[in-house]
Amino acid sequence: MEKVTLTLAEAYALARQVLRENGFSEAHACVLARNVTHGERDGCSSHGLWRLLGIVNTLRKGKVSPDAEPTITDHAPAIVKADAGGGFSLLAFERALPLLIEKARHNGIAALAINRCVHFSALFADVEPLTQAGLVGLATTPSHAWVAPAGGSAPLFGTNPIAFGWPRGDESPFIFDMATSAAARGEIQLHQRAGKALPEGWGIDSEGNPTTDPQAVLNGAMLTFGGYKGSALAAMVELLAGPLIGDMTSMESLAWDDGAGGLPYGGELVLALDPARFLGADAAAHLARAETLFAAMQRQGARLPGERRYQARQHAGEYGITITRSLYEEIAALDCKVPGA
């Protein structure tokens, strides 16, 4: 399969140009382009440049605002609210982040509720800035109802990811970002694009039967990881980033989409915790104990979450990122001004 290699600067410029030519404001285009470029850079192709197709499609279907200006509200001593105004979540998060960090450092813990946002991005991008500020981070969001609960046979939950980040000083932070479904929706769509069968246990068809056919799963339902355990976590996400912050569940998001095929609409909850405020003068000693835990994991041959992502990041910084020629041409076709369109 023919490939195209781009430097990170070229990938960002391509993404930004496509977004601007399709009507996104400069602020939204920059933050969206940076996010998809970083996803590709970090080896997360399901949230990389391929996402431009869904971003533009969502705009063309009238399901996202291309120029909404987020409204940031100092809602309570430890709560920040960001109304994304029907735009993508990323600009609202970026604008609210400084106040979230300030409140976490003052109170020891703070929460950010992002409302009325369209969401597609990997959540590790939302907890990593918190770890860079020396904070512990947790983020979660529902999506569209694509996932059957354990014991069920029809879509009810979203893929409902959970991301957690732990600061490690000069070391790369400990970050995991996982869907509560057996796989991310994007992974199933990428299998479909490549004509590859899915691993068993990822989904069921419209009749509730197990299948490895990506299209049958897309027409049927995805499954949670770990059976009832993943199902319980998915329900938790629905509640925390839905009713708790006054926003949509995955069922409500899908109903709002009304068959348009746009990206999920609803809310996101981000928590930030400050070890320095929890621990005071003992913070350094207890953070060192965390390093002992990480070292013990690695001595057994375990890979710390995020390690592959950081390795891919370093490689991409030196050698660029490589995507298929067909994907490049699909992206280029979104904007006739892109070379090769």
Side-chain angles (χ1 to χ4, degrees):
M1 185 178 295
E2 190 178 355
K3 305 283 187 177
V4 175
T5 298
L6 304 168
T7 66
L8 293 178
E10 289 170 340
Y12 171 81
L14 169 66
R16 179 187 165 279
Q17 180 174 326
V18 163
L19 293 165
R20 288 291 283 141
E21 290 298 323
N22 278 276
F24 284 96
S25 68
E26 179 70 10
H28 278 284
C30 288
V31 71
L32 290 166
R34 184 165 60 248
N35 182 271
V36 296
T37 301
H38 285 179
E40 201 72 51
R41 174 200 68 183
D42 288 2
C44 185
S45 58
S46 63
H47 290 79
L49 295 176
W50 170 77
R51 286 286 176 170
L52 290 167
L53 306 179
I55 290 169
V56 172
N57 178 65
T58 300
L59 176 62
R60 292 177 177 178
K61 294 294 179 64
K63 291 298 182 178
V64 68
S65 169
D67 56 3
E69 281 294 317
T71 301
I72 311 303
T73 305
D74 187 339
H75 186 72
I79 299 175
V80 182
K81 297 200 79 173
D83 184 342
F88 281 109
S89 65
L90 295 169
L91 186 61
F93 173 79
E94 184 178 83
R95 298 274 178 88
L97 182 61
L99 183 57
L100 175 65
I101 292 173
E102 177 186 329
K103 285 182 175 291
R105 287 178 172 160
H106 180 76
N107 298 304
I109 185 170
L112 166 61
I114 306 176
N115 292 110
R116 297 203 303 147
C117 67
V118 182
H119 204 286
F120 72 90
S121 51
L123 287 179
F124 67 76
D126 292 354
V127 297
E128 188 165 350
L130 296 174
T131 64
Q132 291 169 345
L135 304 175
V136 175
L138 181 73
T140 192
T141 183
S143 61
H144 283 332
W146 290 319
V147 182
S153 59
L156 177 64
F157 299 145
T159 54
N160 294 11
I162 301 170
F164 173 81
W166 181 274
R168 299 184 64 202
D170 293 334
E171 297 291 328
S172 297
F174 176 95
I175 294 177
F176 70 76
D177 179 0
M178 65 178 195
T180 53
S181 53
R185 182 79 168 180
E187 289 292 340
I188 293 177
Q189 292 168 319
L190 288 177
H191 275 71
Q192 179 194 35
R193 285 174 60 89
K196 293 170 55 179
L198 301 175
E200 294 182 2
W202 279 23
I204 54 179
D205 63 21
S206 58
E207 302 297 322
N209 301 311
T211 181
T212 60
D213 179 351
Q215 187 60 56
V217 171
L218 293 173
N219 292 338
M222 300 166 63
L223 296 175
T224 60
F225 81 88
Y228 287 95
K229 295 180 181 179
S231 188
L233 288 173
M236 179 191 75
V237 170
E238 296 282 342
L239 298 171
L240 287 177
L244 178 66
I245 65 171
D247 224 308
M248 292 189 181
T249 64
S250 297
M251 279 197 307
E252 292 166 337
S253 173
L254 191 62
W256 177 88
D257 184 69
D258 194 26
L263 290 163
Y265 179 77
E268 178 183 353
L269 179 66
V270 183
L271 302 179
L273 300 88
D274 186 3
R277 292 290 280 166
F278 273 85
L279 300 166
D282 296 327
H286 289 294
L287 290 174
R289 291 175 56 235
E291 291 303 312
T292 302
L293 173 66
F294 298 144
M297 294 170 65
Q298 291 174 313
R299 279 197 300 271
Q300 294 190 28
R303 176 177 55 83
L304 295 184
E307 282 187 350
R308 277 193 308 203
R309 190 161 59 247
Y310 302 132
Q311 291 167 1
R313 183 178 300 183
Q314 181 177 356
H315 184 272
E318 295 179 18
Y319 302 104
I321 55 97
T322 300
I323 60 175
T324 63
R325 167 64 66 177
S326 61
L327 175 58
Y328 179 84
E329 290 176 350
E330 283 186 79
I331 294 170
L334 297 173
D335 172 21
C336 62
K337 295 182 181 181
V338 173

